Amino acid sequence: DQQVKQNSPSLSVQEGRISILNCDYTNSMFDYFLWYKKYPAEGPTFLISISSIKDKNEDGRFTVFLNKSAKHLSLHIVPSQPGDSAVYFCAASASLILNFGNEKLTFGTGTRLTIIP
Amino acid sequence: EAQVTQNPRYLITVTGKKLTVTCSQNMNHEYMSWYRQDPGLGLRQIYYSMNVEVTDKGDVPEGYKVSRKEKRNFPLILESPSPNQTSLYFCASSWEPNNSPLHFGNGTRLTVT
């Protein structure tokens, strides 16, 4: 049973436009959410996170939005750049202390983002 | 350079032949973990370790063993590999499990024939 779902396996966006990656979860105990980015032949790297006490977190071109009632989060990248082409994994944890919760992190299946120059 | 190093990067083996994938981190991290990545399933946790001599099962531990005899190393052992263990494996570490993100190695692609 996939508790964290990324329903779009792939997404193509024109350079300079906004990229929106979506993630849905089913476990209402999840209280901390993260996005990891993965280039080919490399391991994932941490991008941005949000705790359930917030509905938005911003870091430069990257913003994550959390809608707890809909059990949905999204990652916005504005403006999109060619270097953003990668696979993006959404992850969630029921950490109890609203922080990373690495020992029980549940990952989604990933969305491959391609930025078209 | 701060990093998580996995070896080998690629491995092809036959069913039943014991193998070890090594993982080493140079950041003095307490927490280490192993994941496998499979198409349509994302990253699934195999085993994790909160500190030296402390290990615990993740979501898919069957067929795997780990050990944490020293802080920097966390090898993944497949005593009798089977074809369903063909996968891309990632080792990861962090300062603590709850206060910092994971740092991943570059992966080991294992094929069991």
Side-chain angles (χ1 to χ4, degrees), chain A residues 2 36 38 41-46 89 95 97 99-105 107-109, chain B residues 9 31 35 37 40-43 45 48 90 94 96-102 104-106:
Chain A
Q2 195 71 28
Y36 280 83
K38 183 186 177 304
E42 294 183 11
T45 54
F46 170 71
F89 290 99
S95 68
I97 57 172
N99 261 330
F100 294 93
N102 290 333
E103 71 267 38
K104 290 296 179 187
L105 205 56
F107 282 87
T109 52
Chain B
R9 290 296 306 274
Y31 178 83
Y35 291 86
Q37 183 189 351
L41 296 173
L43 289 156
Q45 188 182 58
Y48 64 94
F90 290 100
S94 67
E96 295 175 340
N98 288 317
N99 293 326
S100 61
L102 291 167
F104 284 86
N106 284 337

Side-chain angles (χ1 to χ4, degrees), chain A residues 34-52:
Chain A
L34 308 92
W35 287 92
Y36 280 83
K37 174 181 178 178
K38 183 186 177 304
Y39 291 121
E42 294 183 11
T45 54
F46 170 71
L47 187 58
I48 192 169
S49 64
I50 188 167
S51 73
S52 58

Side-chain angles (χ1 to χ4, degrees), chain A residues 3-117:
Chain A
Q3 296 186 67
V4 177
K5 300 176 185 177
Q6 295 177 256
N7 292 317
S8 298
S10 63
L11 176 68
S12 294
V13 174
Q14 205 77 31
E15 181 179 359
R17 306 292 290 266
I18 183 171
S19 295
I20 300 176
L21 294 92
N22 293 306
C23 178
D24 297 294
Y25 61 96
T26 57
N27 188 341
S28 58
M29 298 299 292
F30 287 150
D31 57 10
Y32 201 82
F33 305 90
L34 308 92
W35 287 92
Y36 280 83
K37 174 181 178 178
K38 183 186 177 304
Y39 291 121
E42 294 183 11
T45 54
F46 170 71
L47 187 58
I48 192 169
S49 64
I50 188 167
S51 73
S52 58
I53 60 173
K54 294 185 173 182
D55 53 20
K56 176 183 172 181
N57 189 26
E58 198 169 347
D59 183 2
R61 296 185 298 112
F62 302 92
T63 303
V64 56
F65 295 92
L66 176 62
N67 182 334
K68 290 186 288 293
S69 60
K71 294 192 178 68
H72 176 84
L73 65 155
S74 60
L75 174 68
H76 293 213
I77 307 173
V78 183
S80 299
Q81 299 174 354
D84 297 329
S85 294
V87 175
Y88 290 79
F89 290 99
C90 171
S93 70
S95 68
L96 300 181
I97 57 172
L98 299 178
N99 261 330
F100 294 93
N102 290 333
E103 71 267 38
K104 290 296 179 187
L105 205 56
T106 301
F107 282 87
T109 52
T111 296
R112 181 179 301 279
L113 175 66
T114 302
I115 304 302
I116 304 163

